[in-house]
Structure formats: structure tokens, C-alpha cells
């Protein structure tokens, strides 16, 4: 018996890194996984690998900042599987800039994907969870949503707002057994991080991470799995911090 047997889960940003790891783990634990991303070729490879391992998954090309595309994704999931039990709002981008360096176009891009994309995801999946008798939304925030991180002002602003939004949604829909929690990873080595991961940046991150290594996608995926499963059925409106001790200082 898998920990997610019978559940239908949407995971955004699933073409690589943390999202791809979550998708594979969810499928291994019995979920029917709807993997979405803009990078459709890489996404299809993730889904093909899941199927090769006897899992059930479909790939949908998806811009999370588009309301019309969210409507389409939800309609396709209901047509394919009849319900939605879990939403993992994992898709995200970062602009490694200070507040004075950022252009308004760059600011808006981060807000559209990291915050508005999550708003739209909840807006169109929570009604389906209500019909199904409940569900779990997991919003992937960041330790940047809890503490200041120099050089990432737009990213931390979006992730901090996502933390607060998760709490508000948790209160609004708790009586319908829809749970909403946020996950706050520390520095996890993924393609998004590696884009600007020179030796100086790496040493800085390592100096603030108390455990003797940086994070791996698997470290976060198992926390997300717990929140998606019925094991966390009395947990809503909470933050799960998985950061190697960064915020313990």
C-alpha cells in the first residue's frame, strides 16, 4: 500500500529539480500524478520515466500565470481522473537582484509566477477538492518567506506573501476539509539555483546552513509527501521548514 493510493495530484513545475522529484515520489506512493510545466519535452521525459516504473501520470504544458490555462488544466484532470485531491504549487522563478536593481517587468514576472500562479491554482482546484470531500494544497514557499535574504527582494516578497496567503486559505476552507500548508526549503541544489551558483555564492549558502551539506530535492519531496498524505490530516495553516538549520540561528 502506498501513502497516496487513490489520490490524484497536480504538481506544477515538474519538468526538473524539486518538482520532478516530487512527481516521481508521489507516483511511487500510488498517486495519479498530473505533471505540469512550460518545458514540455523535459516534462514528458519525467512522465515517461514514471510510467516505465509502473506509475500513472500525464503531462500538461502549462503557464501557471495564465488563468485560462489553469481552467484548462483542471478540466483535463477532471476528464482524465474525475477528481483532484492534492495540489502542489511548486513552479517558481527567481530574479537574483536587490530592490534597487530590479526593473518593474522583472518584478512582475516573479509575482506572476511565484504568487499569482499559486492564487490561480487554489482558485480553480479548491472547488474540486470541496466536491471530493476534502484535499490538500501544498504551497512551496522558501526560507526567504521567513527571513531576509540579500539580493532576492522580489523572490522573498512573493514567498512571504505566499506564506500569509496559505494561512488565510487554510482558515477559509478548513470546514470543508481542505488543508493548506506552506513548505519553506532552505538552499536546495536544483537547476534554478545552479543558474547563479558560483563558488562565492555556494560558500555563502554553506556558511549559513548548519548541517554539513546543502539540500537535495529528495529532502523537500518527503516533506511534501507527508503533507499530501492522510498522515497530516490534522495539519493546516502551518509552515514546514526544511532548511538544514538555516533559520535556527
Amino acid at each position: 500500500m502506498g501513502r497516496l493510493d487513490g489520490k490524484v495530484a497536480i504538481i506544477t513545475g515538474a519538468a526538473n529539480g524539486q518538482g520532478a522529484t516530487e512527481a516521481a515520489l508521489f507516483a511511487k506512493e500510488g498517486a495519479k500524478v498530473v505533471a505540469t510545466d512550460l518545458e514540455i519535452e523535459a516534462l514528458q521525459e519525467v512522465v515517461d520515466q514514471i510510467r516505465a516504473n509502473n506509475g500513472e501520470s500525464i503531462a500538461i504544458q502549462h503557464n501557471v500565470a495564465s488563468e485560462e490555462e489553469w481552467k484548462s488544466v483542471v478540466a483535463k484532470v477532471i476528464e482524465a481522473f474525475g477528481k483532484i485531491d492534492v495540489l502542489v504549487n511548486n513552479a517558481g522563478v527567481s530574479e537574483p537582484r536587490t530592490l534597487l536593481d530590479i526593473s518593474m517587468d522583472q518584478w512582475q514576472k516573479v509575482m506572476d509566477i511565484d504568487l499569482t500562479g499559486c492564487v490561480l491554482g487554489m482558485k480553480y482546484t479548491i472547488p474540486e477538492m470541496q466536491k471530493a470531500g476534502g484535499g490538500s494544497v501544498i504551497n512551496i514557499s522558501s526560507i526567504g518567506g521567513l527571513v531576509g535574504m540579500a539580493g532576492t527582494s522580489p523572490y522573498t516578497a512573493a514567498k512571504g506573501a505566499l506564506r500569509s496567503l496559505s494561512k488565510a486559505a487554510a482558515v477559509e476552507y478548513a470546514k470543508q476539509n481542505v488543508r493548506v500548508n506552506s513548505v519553506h526549503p532552505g538552499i536546495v541544489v536544483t537547476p534554478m539555483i545552479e543558474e547563479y551558483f558560483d563558488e562565492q555564492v555556494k560558500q555563502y549558502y554553506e556558511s549559513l546552513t548548519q548541517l554539513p551539506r546543502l539540500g537535495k530535492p529528495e529532502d523537500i519531496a518527503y516533506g511534501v509527501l507527508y503533507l499530501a498524505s492522510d498522515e497530516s490530516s490534522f495539519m493546516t495553516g502551518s509552515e514546514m521548514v526544511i532548511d538544514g538549520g538555516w533559520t535556527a540561528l
Side-chain angles (χ1 to χ4, degrees):
M1 295 290 289
R3 295 166 68 183
L4 299 180
D5 279 352
K7 294 188 183 295
V8 177
I10 299 173
I11 302 176
T12 68
N16 53 55
Q18 194 171 295
T21 301
E22 291 161 358
L25 180 60
F26 274 36
K28 181 180 177 182
E29 292 292 339
K32 297 176 176 65
V33 176
V34 180
T36 85
D37 205 293
L38 274 175
E39 299 178 28
I40 190 61
E41 291 183 4
L43 184 68
Q44 191 62 55
E45 290 179 8
V46 171
V47 167
D48 289 345
Q49 187 60 51
I50 288 172
R51 292 173 176 169
N53 291 324
N54 299 315
E56 190 167 355
S57 182
I58 60 173
I60 302 177
Q61 190 171 33
H62 180 202
N63 173 10
V64 297
S66 166
E67 185 169 9
E68 291 306 311
E69 289 194 25
W70 264 112
K71 292 178 183 178
S72 175
V73 166
V74 169
K76 289 175 181 176
V77 176
I78 296 304
E79 180 180 2
F81 299 120
K83 63 172 184 170
I84 299 170
D85 300 293
V86 179
L87 168 65
V88 183
N89 274 319
N90 176 79
V93 296
S94 179
E95 286 284 349
R97 299 176 184 275
T98 67
L99 185 60
L100 300 186
D101 292 335
I102 193 81
S103 73
M104 288 300 96
D105 285 344
Q106 291 165 330
W107 172 274
Q108 195 60 52
K109 175 185 175 182
V110 174
M111 293 299 150
D112 286 347
I113 296 172
D114 291 6
L115 183 58
T116 301
C118 299
V119 172
L120 292 171
M122 289 190 283
K123 179 178 177 64
Y124 290 104
T125 61
I126 286 177
E128 298 300 332
M129 292 178 182
Q130 291 172 318
K131 294 175 188 176
S136 177
V137 176
I138 302 111
N139 288 321
I140 307 300
S141 180
S142 166
I143 56 171
L146 301 173
V147 298
M149 297 180 70
T152 62
S153 291
Y155 179 78
T156 56
K159 295 302 189 179
L162 184 57
R163 169 185 176 270
S164 297
L165 175 66
S166 299
K167 289 183 176 296
V171 173
E172 288 173 351
Y173 302 107
K175 298 304 182 186
Q176 289 82 49
N177 200 35
V178 175
R179 301 183 295 109
V180 186
N181 294 286
S182 57
V183 175
H184 299 260
I187 302 303
V188 179
V189 181
T190 66
M192 185 175 79
I193 290 289
E194 289 176 320
E195 286 182 13
Y196 58 96
F197 209 50
D198 61 28
E199 190 60 32
Q200 184 178 1
V201 170
K202 182 173 183 288
Q203 289 178 2
Y204 171 71
Y205 287 153
E206 288 175 339
S207 72
L208 291 171
T209 301
Q210 300 307 297
L211 289 175
R213 66 173 176 86
L214 298 178
K216 300 178 292 186
E218 292 85 350
D219 296 320
I220 312 307
Y222 277 100
V224 176
L225 172 63
Y226 169 71
L227 292 175
S229 75
D230 293 338
E231 298 159 14
S232 60
S233 62
F234 197 57
M235 187 173 177
T236 196
S238 295
E239 302 100 346
M240 177 180 282
V241 182
I242 310 174
D243 70 348
W246 181 307
T247 56
L249 290 173

